[in-house]
Structure formats: C-alpha cells, structure tokens
Amino acid sequence: MKKFFMFLGTCLMAAMVAVSCGQKDPTPTPDPKPDPQPEPEPAGFSMEVEIDGNFAEWDALTADTADEYYAFEENTDPDFDGLLRMKLASDPDNIYVYLELKYEYIYVKTDSEVTGGGSWTGWIPVHSGDTPGALIMYVGCDDKANSVYGARRIAESNEEEITDDDPSMWDYMGFDAFPQYYICYDATSGKMAFGWNQNNWPELHDANWTADMVGKPLGDHGMGWWGDDVEGTPVSDNTVSDASTFKFSPVMKLKEPASKKDVDAVKIEFAMDRTAILESGAKVTGQAVIGAFFENISNAAHQTESRGSGKLPSGDKPVTIKLK
C-alpha cells in the first residue's frame, strides 16, 4: 500500500510539472516586427516594335508614356511642318523610328513604277534625274557633343536661303552619321515607295573636310557621301535600313499638331541597324542623340542644300534616348 501511494505521488508530481511546463508565460516578450517589404519597382513603359506597316503598337507611345528609353516629339513650328510627329524606340539590334510626313511635301513620281533604287543608280528601273530632297536622320552615337559635327545650318523658315550666320538645326555638335532616305509616292502603283538609303560620314569621306569644321554645322546633305567607288554596287552606305525594314501607311488624314487641322499625311516606320550606322561597324550602344529633317519642300523633286520642310524636334535640342 505504501508503494502504491508513493507511486501515486510520483505520478501527481509529474503531472503538475507537465501542466506547469505547458502554461504560457503571462508576460511574453513580443516578437520583433519583420522588416517591411520594399515596394516593387514600377514596371515602366514597354513596347515591342515589328516593322510590318501595321503601326498599331506605336499608338501606345505618347507624350505621357515616353521616358528615357522611348521618345515622343510633335512639331510646334508652322514654318517647318513637313514632319508632324516622331517616336523612337530600340531593342538590342535596332533603333526604331516612327514618323508622320505631310503629304504635300512628298515627291510624286509619275514616269514609271518604282521597284528599288540605289545611291549610284537612283530610282530603279527608271531614273530621270528626279532625285527629291531626302529624309535625313542625324545620329550621335555617344555623349560627346564637341567631337565631330553639327546638323545642317537652317534658315528661319523654309522660304529663305541659309547663310553662314544661321545656326545648326540643333545645338548638339557631336553627330557621327546621317543616314538619308529617298522615298516617293509612286503614282503608277498608287502607293508610297522606298528607293534607297545612303549613309554619310563627312569627317571620313569628304575632300572638303578640314579640322576647323569640327563642332560646326554642316554645309549640305552631300557632305561625306562616298558609295564604294564602284558604280552600281550597294555596299555599307546602303545597309542602315532597306525596303524590308521601311514601311509606309496609305495617305490618310492626321491631326497636324501646330495648326490642329486634319491634313493628308503618311505614317512611316523603319529600323536602323545599330551595327551599320557607323562606318567602322561598331555597334551603337548606351544612348543615341537623334534629330530628323525632311529636305523635300514640294511634291516635285526638290533636292536642296539649304532648305527643308520638316524638322523634329522643333526646338534647339535633339532627342536623347537610352538604348536597350
């Protein structure tokens, strides 16, 4: 019997210990609050460009969505209204350009259908000396604004001749290349046509280039054109863009930013190969400084060294975009 009570006592003590161990501390130390999770980074604007003549993807790029990787510009100068809007984007291979050109300044070719062209041949199959003013893209490939040259000088309006006192189109003096595009409205086929692209490097391929021209505006669009000195052979000065990477819309009504009127215009989209802009073939990386100029000033062939119909950006500074 004594052993039974001793055993019972032992069990009761063990039970009391177990209950005591199972009780919560009446004044527990609260666990420290976890560090707050950082807010997720904003996704930012993004778009994929396909050069297919559809243009729908460009609608999302506006003044509100543009950022350091995407540019949006509208014309604000009624004296240079040939370009209505410009949008810029990039991917690892190309710089993409969207432009709206006022139709009244686009050369209308009437003598034969356009099936191609080249900087040596002109329009193919028939070139009748009817080369219009080019659509010119000025491209600076680094952040050095004092190493090469400026854009062309430009008069106060497209009705005036330029003089040595007129400024560069933009105040940037470090452009490295300016691809030129020769396009037309082909009256025979009833649609826009791409003739050819030629690239110009004035510092490297102009007999009149001198060291004192560094950091000054160019004189004309012909500076630095060189072909390959073998007539009829399209080589590296024709490879920044081509007919497969240059697409047009039909002539349509678009809102002109400066006047707010509906005008006849054409949408254009094209890709500039980042390994073909510079003669060296070095890929353009980091950022690009860009301005667009439409040289033709009527629907007739009007190649000119001093005037033009459209300029974007309208102000003194070109666009700078970061490249992907």
Side-chain angles (χ1 to χ4, degrees):
M1 194 70 177
K2 181 178 179 182
K3 289 183 179 181
F4 171 76
F5 283 112
M6 290 180 64
F7 175 74
L8 180 61
T10 301
C11 290
L12 288 172
M13 287 295 295
M16 291 175 64
V17 170
V19 170
S20 175
C21 290
Q23 290 179 344
K24 293 183 179 178
D25 189 338
T27 57
T29 303
D31 293 329
K33 292 183 179 180
D35 292 335
Q37 294 297 313
E39 292 293 326
E41 292 291 330
F45 178 75
S46 182
M47 62 180 286
E48 298 290 332
V49 177
E50 185 174 354
I51 304 299
D52 55 5
N54 184 359
F55 300 99
E57 69 267 37
W58 292 103
D59 292 342
L61 178 49
T62 66
D64 293 329
T65 57
D67 59 19
E68 60 188 354
Y69 290 99
Y70 299 91
F72 175 91
E73 290 287 334
E74 285 189 326
N75 175 57
T76 59
D77 186 348
D79 286 323
F80 292 96
D81 60 353
L83 295 175
L84 307 184
R85 291 172 186 84
M86 175 172 69
K87 304 180 185 184
L88 302 172
S90 71
D91 67 16
D93 299 314
N94 300 293
I95 297 172
Y96 295 103
V97 182
Y98 166 96
L99 288 168
E100 296 172 1
L101 272 64
K102 202 170 180 178
Y103 178 70
E104 71 175 89
Y105 300 115
I106 296 173
Y107 165 59
V108 178
K109 182 172 171 56
T110 60
D111 57 351
S112 71
E113 185 174 0
V114 175
T115 59
S119 53
W120 281 108
T121 62
W123 307 110
I124 295 174
V126 175
H127 186 77
S128 307
D130 50 359
T131 303
L135 170 62
I136 304 173
M137 301 300 298
Y138 289 88
V139 185
C141 301
D142 51 38
D143 196 30
K144 297 177 182 177
N146 58 356
S147 60
V148 192
Y149 52 85
R152 296 244 302 278
R153 295 186 184 278
I154 195 165
E156 292 184 1
S157 78
N158 60 23
E159 301 299 324
E160 301 177 11
E161 297 291 333
I162 64 167
T163 70
D164 289 341
D165 296 325
D166 287 315
S168 167
M169 279 184 259
W170 304 282
D171 60 9
Y172 184 79
M173 295 296 166
F175 291 108
D176 300 287
F178 59 108
Q180 304 183 16
Y181 300 94
Y182 291 87
I183 60 177
C184 71
Y185 183 82
D186 180 355
T188 303
S189 64
K191 61 184 180 180
M192 292 293 297
F194 177 89
W196 68 96
N197 152 224
Q198 64 186 45
N199 205 355
N200 290 43
W201 300 285
E203 188 179 26
L204 303 176
H205 292 286
D206 200 286
N208 298 316
W209 184 268
T210 57
D212 64 350
M213 296 170 69
V214 172
K216 294 181 180 179
L218 295 174
D220 62 70
H221 70 214
M223 295 188 68
W225 178 80
W226 66 290
D228 64 346
D229 296 325
V230 180
E231 186 172 354
T233 305
V235 288
S236 61
D237 81 317
N238 293 285
T239 57
V240 177
S241 311
D242 59 26
S244 67
T245 57
F246 203 106
K247 299 297 182 182
F248 305 93
S249 76
V251 180
M252 60 176 59
K253 293 292 185 183
L254 295 175
K255 186 73 70 178
E256 185 177 50
S259 70
K260 308 302 182 185
K261 297 179 180 178
D262 289 332
V263 298
D264 289 332
V266 172
K267 295 180 180 180
I268 301 174
E269 62 176 355
F270 58 97
M272 295 193 296
D273 184 343
R274 288 168 60 175
T275 64
I277 294 171
L278 296 175
E279 184 187 14
S280 66
K283 185 176 182 178
V284 178
T285 60
Q287 66 179 26
V289 182
I290 295 175
F293 181 58
F294 190 31
E295 188 180 42
N296 215 51
I297 59 175
S298 73
N299 60 13
H302 201 124
Q303 196 166 23
T304 172
E305 295 183 353
S306 61
R307 293 176 290 158
S309 62
K311 166 183 176 285
L312 281 175
S314 298
D316 293 335
K317 297 190 180 301
V319 170
T320 298
I321 61 167
K322 285 189 175 181
L323 302 176
K324 294 189 172 180

